[in-house]
Amino acid sequence: MLTRNVYFSQEPERVSVHRMGRNGYTARVDFPVNVQRIVMPDDEPQYKADVYSIEVGFTVGLKERIENNYEAWLAVAKEIPAPQPTINDVIEAVNELADIILGGE
């Protein structure tokens, strides 16, 4: 999955692994690409990147294996299509928004 224009307060590592779930058996692996350093008005640098993500089973040494075969892992992350919302997803979102605006439960 690709998320565009993600901002970071520090320069992102080229691979980051985030354990997920209660037991930590799965992980989200992020691949920031096209990293740009941006100087803010207060002279504090920020970094903007597009981030490819993939969910995998977590194992010890996962980050090291990914870094050793970075291009192959990134290619897999780029191949996975982003999920497309269904009409039911859109209807549900509109209904939730209407409840918020109208003060419903």
Side-chain angles (χ1 to χ4, degrees):
M1 175 172 57
L2 174 63
T3 306
R4 294 193 181 276
N5 300 322
V6 177
Y7 285 83
F8 298 87
S9 60
Q10 298 177 349
E11 186 171 4
E13 296 181 40
R14 73 182 206 154
V15 175
S16 61
V17 176
H18 310 276
R19 291 181 78 168
M20 300 171 28
R22 261 191 177 153
N23 299 320
Y25 295 132
T26 58
R28 186 188 77 235
V29 180
D30 293 335
F31 301 89
V33 297
N34 305 322
V35 177
Q36 299 174 2
R37 184 176 191 266
I38 300 169
V39 178
M40 304 306 288
D42 60 1
D43 290 332
E44 288 293 318
Q46 286 193 351
Y47 298 85
K48 181 174 87 167
D50 298 329
V51 180
Y52 285 97
S53 300
I54 186 172
E55 288 187 21
V56 298
F58 179 80
T59 56
V60 174
L62 176 63
K63 183 175 181 179
E64 292 77 19
R65 285 193 308 280
I66 293 170
E67 288 174 339
N68 290 336
N69 202 4
Y70 176 83
E71 294 300 326
W73 280 88
L74 178 59
V76 170
K78 286 181 175 182
E79 287 178 11
I80 296 175
Q84 298 298 315
T86 65
I87 190 68
N88 289 335
D89 294 333
V90 173
I91 291 170
E92 185 177 312
V94 168
N95 287 338
E96 288 179 22
L97 183 59
D99 285 344
I100 291 169
I101 293 171
L102 299 175
E105 296 178 22

